[in-house]
Amino acid sequence: MEVLQRMLSPLAEYYEHVDHEEIAINQPGEVWCRRHHPNRDGDIWIKYLDDRFTLRWLRNICQAVANTFNQSFDPDESDKPSTIFATLPPYEHRFAAVAGKNVVFDQTLPEGGIAMAIRKGASAGRAHQVDFSDWGLVEGRGVQEGFHHVAKIADGRADAVQALKDAVQQGCNILISGGTSTGKTTLFNRVIQEVDHRTRVLTVEDTREIKLHKHPNHVHLILHLRKNVGHCIGYESLKS
């Protein structure tokens, strides 16, 4: 893992930057960075040129990630693209890449290309212990002013935190939705702590983000959209 972190260090300069929440590489020699907030020109995505990111370097990075996480990677396969999904240490950044002949930069690259994205993990740069108050839910009170668009509780005057805890304990369906890096996983990890310890919990993800280490009866499955790959369960296997 230390070797992989050293190899990723040129990219880490971008995805670990305090102003960035995600980076994307569409072709060699450039990296697009998504900012948490627009710059002075109102731009969210900013492009940087970096000649360190050659096609060969990108292939080596993908191969290293695939080897580390026991996934297959063959960008020269003609039938279908090769994909990689992983969670990078130490802050659980989400890594995704696709490579193959159908990833076309231009006609001068017959071997195909690589598209890559890394999204900053929920735990990166967190300055405090997350609690319900971060979403306007306070013990003994209703949803706080300015947060009604975030938290929907049936009775706005009710104890918002208790209402949410009751919903979890009663096994109600709870939908957490939002845009990229808005705190969906962070909130979910807080909510799931309220599950009764006597309950058996089954979680399914494509990359590891759910934290339920203290729950005694917990099964965690990693789902891959293709067939069974490494430690991942294929989608078709799960359906059957």
Side-chain angles (χ1 to χ4, degrees), residues 70-72 222-240:
N70 194 27
Q71 298 184 32
S72 61
I222 299 295
L223 175 68
H224 201 284
L225 296 180
R226 298 182 297 170
K227 297 179 180 179
N228 296 351
V229 177
H231 64 283
C232 300
I233 297 175
Y235 177 66
E236 293 299 325
S237 298
L238 190 65
K239 288 198 301 182
S240 60

Side-chain angles (χ1 to χ4, degrees), residues 55-71:
L55 181 60
R56 181 181 181 85
W57 188 89
L58 295 173
R59 281 193 171 208
N60 289 340
I61 285 294
C62 288
Q63 190 66 68
V65 173
N67 292 344
T68 301
F69 294 94
N70 194 27
Q71 298 184 32

